[in-house]
């Protein structure tokens, strides 16, 4: 691999390297692979393709989290209007320089929670892909934050989020999904059972059925070594309230 750049970000050192065998570029943060894509931003990660497909109905999208900008680049190429929020300004520089993020997008440097509480725009969809060294999903996406995120949705809007799951019994995706959905949205989880420390996609949508298009099935088969499946959320908002009263 060839080192293309080294930067100091807010969560630690960032390195961009290019793979000699296929030309893809990897965004490492504190040694953890956060993004991998071609120089024009085409991600090798299945979860990015799944998020893109789950957002196909939406035109005006708030993207929380940038990193290498692969999701935003893919959505921009589909003609979506985007607002991208990240608290690490160097991520925008890297995404433009190494991963083909278009120059004309609305990029906002802010903590995502501060932005959500201060913003008054309504969006067709909110895409969430936030993480990094030491990031605690359960703490960052507490009930109040998730309610504030949902309040930024226009009627008929949806939320699609990438989370990291430790194992098959990890309650995290269902807990955060119930917080994001509240009483108004239906929850689906696109997951890969049997894999430790994996990506899973939460989809909180207004429709009663996911109505998966063939393109979603194609995205799930992006890598033949992966076995993605779709399931309903296991918790509802009232389940969380019950649990809080009993322990």
């Amino acid at each position: 691999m060839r080192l293309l750049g080294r930067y100091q970000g807010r969560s630690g050192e960032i390195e961009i390297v290019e793979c000699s065998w296929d030309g893809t570029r990897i965004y490492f943060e504190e040694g953890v692979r956060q993004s991998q894509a071609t120089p024009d931003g085409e991600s090798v990660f299945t979860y990015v393709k799944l998020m893109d497909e789950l957002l196909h109905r939406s035109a005006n999208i708030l993207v929380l989290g940038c990193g290498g900008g692969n999701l935003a680049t893919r959505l921009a190429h589909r003609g979506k209007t985007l607002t991208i929020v990240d608290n690490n300004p160097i991520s925008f520089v890297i995404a433009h320089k190494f991963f083909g993020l278009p120059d004309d997008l609305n990029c906002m440097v802010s903590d995502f929670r501060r932005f959500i509480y201060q913003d008054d725009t309504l969006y067709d969809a909110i895409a969430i892909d936030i993480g990094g060294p030491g990031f605690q999903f359960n703490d960052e996406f507490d009930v109040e934050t998730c309610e504030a995120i949902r309040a930024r949705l226009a009627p008929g809007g949806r939320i699609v989020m990438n989370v990291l799951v430790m194992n098959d019994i990890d309650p995290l995706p269902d807990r955060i999904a119930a917080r994001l959905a509240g009483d108004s949205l239906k929850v689906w989880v696109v997951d890969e059972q049997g894999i430790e420390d994996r990506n899973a996609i939460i989809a909180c949508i207004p429709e009663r059925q996911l109505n998966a298009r063939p393109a979603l099935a194609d995205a799930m088969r992006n890598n033949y070594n992966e076995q993605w499946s779709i399931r309903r959320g296991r918790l509802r908002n009232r389940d969380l309230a019950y649990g809080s009263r009993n322990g």
Side-chain angles (χ1 to χ4, degrees):
M1 293 192 290
R2 179 168 66 100
L3 180 66
L4 299 181
R6 181 179 288 118
Y7 303 86
Q8 185 60 43
R10 288 187 172 177
S11 298
E13 186 177 75
I14 298 170
E15 291 184 329
I16 309 300
V17 301
E18 186 172 78
C19 301
S20 57
W21 53 90
D22 62 3
T24 60
R25 294 170 175 180
I26 304 177
Y27 180 120
F28 285 109
E29 187 172 24
E30 286 294 289
V32 178
R33 184 177 62 156
Q34 300 290 346
S35 301
Q36 183 173 352
T38 62
D40 61 358
E42 181 64 27
S43 178
V44 304
F45 291 160
T46 300
Y47 87 83
V48 174
K49 298 175 173 62
L50 293 172
M51 292 183 73
D52 170 38
E53 179 55 31
L54 290 166
L55 293 162
H56 79 275
R57 294 188 179 191
S58 306
N60 181 24
I61 302 173
L62 173 63
V63 180
L64 301 180
C66 179
N70 301 159
L71 176 61
T73 298
R74 191 175 179 93
L75 292 170
H77 288 166
R78 291 186 179 268
K80 311 296 187 181
T81 299
L82 304 179
T83 299
I84 313 168
V85 177
D86 199 295
N87 71 339
N88 199 356
I90 197 64
S91 290
F92 294 123
V93 175
I94 291 169
H96 287 302
K97 183 174 182 179
F98 297 109
F99 295 101
L101 184 71
D103 294 329
D104 58 349
L105 300 180
N106 186 20
C107 297
M108 309 292 294
V109 178
S110 174
D111 176 82
F112 80 96
R113 290 162 300 185
R114 184 182 308 116
F115 183 88
I116 283 293
Y117 282 111
Q118 295 177 351
D119 188 30
D120 59 3
T121 306
L122 297 182
Y123 301 91
D124 299 332
I126 299 175
I128 307 172
D129 189 10
I130 300 174
F135 190 84
Q136 299 294 322
F137 282 93
N138 194 54
D139 296 337
E140 300 284 347
F141 291 91
D142 56 20
V143 172
E144 292 77 13
T145 300
C146 289
E147 289 177 348
I149 291 172
R150 189 171 63 256
R152 299 271 57 81
L153 287 179
R158 66 202 60 240
I159 303 169
V160 178
M161 179 179 179
N162 172 46
V163 296
L164 294 181
V165 181
M166 291 188 299
N167 50 50
D168 290 352
I169 62 173
D170 188 347
L172 179 72
D174 293 280
R175 184 177 295 147
I176 292 179
R179 294 172 185 171
L180 287 170
D183 296 323
S184 59
L185 300 175
K186 310 299 185 295
V187 173
W188 299 85
V189 179
V190 188
D191 199 2
E192 192 182 6
Q193 295 290 313
I195 306 297
E196 295 186 354
D197 298 321
R198 63 185 185 255
N199 297 100
I201 305 302
I202 296 167
C204 300
I205 62 175
E207 301 88 10
R208 290 185 177 276
Q209 298 295 328
L210 188 60
N211 292 328
R213 304 191 310 161
L216 181 61
D218 290 342
M220 292 171 65
R221 294 191 296 266
N222 173 64
N223 186 327
Y224 291 107
N225 293 321
E226 300 174 354
Q227 299 293 324
W228 292 83
S229 60
I230 301 172
R231 64 171 174 84
R232 292 182 181 273
R234 295 177 179 138
L235 294 175
R236 297 183 181 181
N237 194 41
R238 61 176 177 265
D239 296 328
L240 299 180
Y242 179 83
S244 66
R245 292 196 300 268
N246 293 274

